[in-house]
Amino acid sequence: QITLKESGPALVKPTQTLTLTCTFSGFSLSTSGVGVEWIRQPPGKALEWLALIYWDDDKRYSLSLKSRLTITKDTSVSQVVLRMTNMDPVDTATYYCAHKGARGVADYWGQGTLVTVSS
Amino acid sequence: DIQMTQSPSTLSASVGDRVTITCRASQSISSWLAWYQQKPGKAPNLLIYKASSLQSGVPSRFSGSGSGTEFTLTISSLQPDDFATYYCQQYTTYRTFGQGTKVEIK
């Protein structure tokens, strides 16, 4: 049974760096073809894809946010970390992590964590 | 960036209606297209991948079609549980979501 859970601060100040952790179970990020993605959703708005890390440590980032994002993995503790620098109120959103399997898409999602950016 | 455009943005329908949502890509994405359903306060749920493959456990009233730049999601007979927001997503080298289509009760 695949599960994922996001954790991190509920509130960050403008210009700060956000660090989110995705802790997962039921799969290994060492298995060929597997990845973990991050997606966010501002309140009342559409989904926005952020980043993806593959089993072989290959990484993909949203072209519009690439300069602010860093995704890393720690296979030994089944975690993926997303860092986003220079946070702004427009970055207020629910942040989701998701499992990418052999089908190539996000087929299992975490419950999401709401991050508010405010001074 | 590949842009994804969904239409309509909102759709009013009744239980039992056949519903079609369209998604257009700004360039060819072959069949690398997925559809998700999202209900308020919940994470999205994968319905369709590779344009037309039904995810395990998803009712057969959901179907997808298309390739290249034009895709559709069809619900053959709308059920009460289907009132939700639907997103398409291209998953080539990068990923992009459409802006969503809200299916509401007529």
Side-chain angles (χ1 to χ4, degrees):
Chain A
Q1 177 194 1
I2 290 175
T3 64
L4 304 98
K5 188 171 184 179
E6 308 85 355
S7 59
L11 180 67
V12 297
K13 296 185 185 321
T15 76
Q16 286 186 336
T17 294
L18 171 68
T19 299
L20 293 173
T21 301
C22 177
T23 304
F24 56 86
S25 64
F27 68 95
S28 171
L29 203 36
S30 300
T31 301
S32 178
V34 172
V36 171
E37 312 189 41
W38 285 94
I39 302 101
R40 72 178 180 179
Q41 186 172 38
K45 296 189 177 181
L47 299 164
E48 180 181 18
W49 180 78
L50 299 176
L52 165 61
I53 189 165
Y54 291 92
W55 82 101
D56 60 358
D57 210 37
D58 193 12
K59 299 163 188 177
R60 297 284 184 268
Y61 295 102
S62 162
L63 295 178
S64 62
L65 293 168
K66 184 174 183 177
S67 63
R68 299 174 54 205
L69 295 173
T70 304
I71 189 170
T72 58
K73 64 181 175 71
D74 187 337
T75 305
S76 65
V77 293
S78 298
Q79 289 183 338
V80 170
V81 172
L82 181 75
R83 290 186 175 85
M84 181 180 289
T85 61
N86 195 24
M87 293 293 284
D88 182 271
V90 300
D91 296 313
T92 293
T94 295
Y95 288 75
Y96 296 98
C97 64
H99 166 270
K100 184 206 84 65
R103 296 182 179 87
V105 292
D107 50 6
Y108 295 90
W109 294 59
Q111 63 190 26
T113 185
L114 175 62
V115 178
T116 301
V117 184
S118 175
S119 55
Chain B
D1 257 4
I2 298 174
Q3 307 302 316
M4 306 300 293
T5 304
Q6 284 182 238
S7 60
S9 297
T10 306
L11 188 159
S12 298
S14 302
V15 172
D17 285 353
R18 182 181 180 88
V19 166
T20 299
I21 299 169
T22 298
C23 182
R24 288 186 174 85
S26 59
Q27 64 188 72
S28 177
I29 58 170
S30 184
S31 295
W32 303 117
L33 192 283
W35 290 97
Y36 294 89
Q37 176 194 68
Q38 188 181 33
K39 297 182 179 178
K42 300 293 187 183
N45 181 47
L46 176 65
L47 301 175
I48 301 283
Y49 61 96
K50 210 170 182 185
S52 60
S53 295
L54 193 67
Q55 171 70 348
S56 176
V58 174
S60 58
R61 62 181 180 273
F62 291 93
S63 64
S65 64
S67 66
T69 62
E70 293 233 2
F71 303 86
T72 58
L73 173 70
T74 299
I75 309 172
S76 60
S77 178
L78 198 65
Q79 298 302 301
D81 191 49
D82 302 338
F83 292 98
T85 300
Y86 294 84
Y87 292 94
C88 64
Q89 184 205 35
Q90 66 84 14
Y91 57 103
T92 55
T93 303
Y94 303 91
R95 282 102 157 94
T96 320
F97 288 94
Q99 81 277 20
T101 295
K102 184 177 182 180
V103 177
E104 58 182 27
I105 300 172
K106 191 172 185 179

